[in-house]
């Protein structure tokens, strides 16, 4: 394949961290990114260049471009963590193949992206682009965190932001493993869809009896893991309603609240723990055989329909600056950037 | 030894839990305890009866009689967790010997106490009663939690309420192991005494530049464990100033504040953890060889002067209802009940 010298890309305008905590919503990309023509990057030793087909837009991407994520921004480099595309250059036998990848060297919101060859995940032909573009962040996070649920030994677990793409993947994992998902959502209207997916119970955080309802459910189902993408006071209050040995695993910060610990004695006497989950750390620390096993499971689940991707919208790269915020503002589904147009 | 049928005791007036969180201070014992004459308990299979010499009064005792501890009160049973005394009856070769013990069946604030024979710890003759009376809760907690400090691999650790008896034991352990104690205290006046004991740095929580001072110290010494007896907002703020991989280990609740988590993203990206420590759980879960080893180390440290017990006052059992609160109110040192008078 002929690789051009120049490409379109959404390029970061800032370096480093912003020291703000504004959450994953965004109205206007222009203070953070510019749509520019820049040189196509050249892969160095151990790197691959990928022609991007479809790039995912995750909450972590928005945190990152805002300077609120766990790694610093680099001015002048394209944004975007993950995508699916075709390997076009690099020191790898995968040249010419379709892969999912996490861009470690040059971001995915561009016509071409660059990453380490070790991070390329070949895709089965039946594995659709919308599933493959988001194979890493959400599905791998779901599988990794569900390992914590299995280790807890409980017959149920709690997850909030349960209507998110990641929440739905977790509900599917619980359903298929016979470990009951207790889904926490903001709007009662989300309940039926999540029950249809496999949620055993739905707790509506904005209802007046939310705490009483949660208390009853926890007494019956005895969950030991709370998977938390929100980090608000309601989540803290839920944690202190859970039985002994509960783990509050925070993996995202949709809320800007600073939750207060109302019952610290439970950490002492009930052996409760508050911790975080970060996929990047998990990938470094987990048994290395778990990762290819997880990718095989992910592709199988999507191909067989056990999992599906809800698409909020696909925005052409050329129009993403203007159109992406509106798609991100939709209450359900995932946004994508089509880098071919 | 002739064992009488009746004894003096400080007997609990309430069952179960109080569902309050008022901290370890107390002005008046009379709502919680009565000084009474009750039958001396009779040891069953596997139990021992001990004639109490000196009983310790720990913060956990006060939490317990208030109904704010991790196990329920039993109305009519004497209070008091630990003491030193002489074994006078029971199915054990230790009858006639001086032992430290944790009272599992009938409390130590009485002329006679009862416990499981497996919990009797023989005392060396040179091991003084004031040290032996408090051998279990504070020294064993210090040794157990210092294991967490060693495991952290850091060259320093943070402890608050550093002027407490337990704080001073921890400072001694740090000093002797070459792991620098960073002592957090409320009053600047406590600093010199703690530096003399071995504190590498002293942070005064009530000073105007406490956060700045802590930030500087942590950048230099890079502590990874925070041993917390307080559970207040200042402690939470300290935790978020610590470097990556920090563990906030709460083992007591001197404050009634509900600390807010200001930087939850650090749990995700910096692998920080918030957890509790409870000696009762540790004793069940630790390698069983660690416990007798720890008791030998405790007695050796006191006998050789590496550790010492600061005595706030010794109150006769017959006068404890009236006199104990005043001794507990002293800013430094430990209170005891002499059960022989």
């Amino acid at each position: 394949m002929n690789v051009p010298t120049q490409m379109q890309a959404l390029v970061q305008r800032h370096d480093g961290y912003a020291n703000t905590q504004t959450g994953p919503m965004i109205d206007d990309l222009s203070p953070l990114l510019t749509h520019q023509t820049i040189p196509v990057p050249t892969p160095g030793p151990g790197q691959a260049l990928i022609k991007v087909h479809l790039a995912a837009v995750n909450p972590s991407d928005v945190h990152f471009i805002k300077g609120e994520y766990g790694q610093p921004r680099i001015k002048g480099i394209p944004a975007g963590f993950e995508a699916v595309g075709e390997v076009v250059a690099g020191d790898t036998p995968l040249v010419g193949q379709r892969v999912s990848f996490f861009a470690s060297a040059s971001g995915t919101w561009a016509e071409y992206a660059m990453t380490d060859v070790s991070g390329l995940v070949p895709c089965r032909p039946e594995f659709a682009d919308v599933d493959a573009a988001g194979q890493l962040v959400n599905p791998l996070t779901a599988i990794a965190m569900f390992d914590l649920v299995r280790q807890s030994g409980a017959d149920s677990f709690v997850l909030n932001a349960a209507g998110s793409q990641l929440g739905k993947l977790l509900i599917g994992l619980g359903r298929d493993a016979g470990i009951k998902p207790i889904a926490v959502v903001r709007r009662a209207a989300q309940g039926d869809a999540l029950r249809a997916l496999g949620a055993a119970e739905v707790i509506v955080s904005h209802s007046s009896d939310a705490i009483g309802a949660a208390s009853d459910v926890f007494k019956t189902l005895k969950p030991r893991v709370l998977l938390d993408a929100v980090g608000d006071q309601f989540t803290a209050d839920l944690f202190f309603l859970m039985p002994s040995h509960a783990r509050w695993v925070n993996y995202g910060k949709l809320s800007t609240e600073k939750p207060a610990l109302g019952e610290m004695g439970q950490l002492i006497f009930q052996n409760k723990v508050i911790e975080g989950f970060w996929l990047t750390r998990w990938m470094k620390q987990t048994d290395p055989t778990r990762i290819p096993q997880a990718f095989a499971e992910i592709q199988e689940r999507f191909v067989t329909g056990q999992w599906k991707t809800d698409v909020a919208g696909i925005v052409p790269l050329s129009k993403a600056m203007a159109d992406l915020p509106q798609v991100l503002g939709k209450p359900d589904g995932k946004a994508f950037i089509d880098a071919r147009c």
Side-chain angles (χ1 to χ4, degrees), chain A:
Chain A
M1 181 180 281
N2 270 337
V3 177
T5 57
Q6 300 281 308
M7 67 178 185
Q8 309 294 309
L10 302 188
V11 173
Q12 298 173 81
R13 298 184 61 175
H14 304 285
D15 272 317
Y17 300 103
N19 291 317
T20 53
Q21 289 184 46
T22 59
M25 293 294 132
I26 195 149
D27 294 326
D28 181 8
L29 294 173
S30 62
L32 303 170
L33 302 176
T34 53
H35 181 270
Q36 267 182 252
T37 300
I38 60 172
V40 172
T42 306
Q47 292 184 317
L49 185 72
I50 303 105
K51 180 167 184 5
V52 179
H53 296 172
L54 205 60
V57 180
N58 291 303
S60 52
D61 286 302
V62 181
H63 280 295
F64 177 68
I65 63 175
K66 286 182 170 184
E68 301 179 354
Y69 198 65
Q71 59 200 72
R73 297 171 292 185
I74 304 175
K75 189 173 165 175
I77 298 290
F81 284 138
E82 66 173 340
V84 62
E86 183 187 340
V87 183
V88 292
D91 181 21
T92 165
L94 295 174
V95 171
Q97 290 206 31
R98 192 172 68 115
V99 296
S100 295
F101 65 101
F102 194 91
S104 61
S106 185
T108 62
W109 297 358
E111 291 181 89
Y112 292 85
M114 200 164 67
T115 195
D116 295 344
V117 293
S118 61
L120 303 173
V121 182
C123 296
R124 291 164 58 173
E126 326 91 281
F127 188 40
D129 267 355
V130 286
D131 301 327
Q135 175 176 195
L136 293 135
V137 173
N138 278 339
L140 195 55
T141 299
I143 292 218
M145 294 199 303
F146 199 70
D147 282 353
L148 302 178
V149 171
R150 289 183 199 273
Q151 287 157 16
S152 79
D155 300 326
S156 66
F157 68 106
V158 186
L159 74 164
N160 62 18
S164 70
Q165 182 63 17
L166 180 49
K168 290 172 183 168
L169 300 179
L170 285 164
I171 289 171
L173 287 170
R175 172 198 66 211
D176 296 338
I179 301 179
K180 295 187 174 73
I182 302 169
V184 181
V185 294
R186 281 187 299 174
R187 294 172 291 120
Q190 297 170 282
D192 287 346
L194 298 185
R195 280 195 190 85
L197 273 180
E201 299 283 349
V202 175
I203 294 165
V204 181
S205 61
H206 283 36
S207 69
S208 58
D209 64 339
I211 287 292
S215 180
D216 291 345
V217 167
F218 294 173
K219 275 184 189 128
T220 308
L221 296 184
K222 299 186 173 54
R224 282 193 172 193
V225 170
L226 164 57
L227 300 176
D228 167 34
V230 183
D232 61 348
Q233 189 60 50
F234 183 74
T235 302
D237 296 343
L238 284 185
F239 173 63
F240 291 117
L241 290 176
M242 290 173 71
S244 293
H245 311 291
R247 292 169 75 174
W248 172 3
V249 181
N250 175 257
Y251 67 92
K253 189 71 178 129
L254 293 172
S255 163
T256 56
E257 286 180 20
K258 297 178 178 180
L261 303 180
E263 302 278 350
M264 284 198 79
Q266 293 188 5
L267 305 184
I268 303 175
F269 300 123
Q270 296 188 26
N271 197 25
K272 293 189 174 184
V273 174
I274 308 171
E275 61 194 68
F277 176 87
W278 192 24
L279 186 62
T280 304
R281 185 170 61 246
W282 179 83
M283 290 182 76
K284 285 178 193 157
Q285 292 179 344
T286 196
D287 172 358
T289 63
R290 183 74 186 99
I291 296 175
Q293 195 186 52
F295 286 130
E297 183 180 347
I298 289 167
Q299 298 195 24
E300 180 70 13
R301 293 188 69 88
F302 279 112
V303 168
T304 59
Q306 289 176 292
W307 273 349
K308 68 186 203 53
T309 301
D310 292 332
V311 179
I314 299 178
V315 176
L317 178 61
S318 57
K319 297 184 179 172
M321 289 295 295
D323 294 352
L324 190 57
Q326 185 258 330
V327 177
L328 285 174
K330 290 193 182 178
D332 291 309
K334 198 171 168 71
F336 296 90
I337 295 172
D338 189 331
R340 294 163 294 194
C341 51

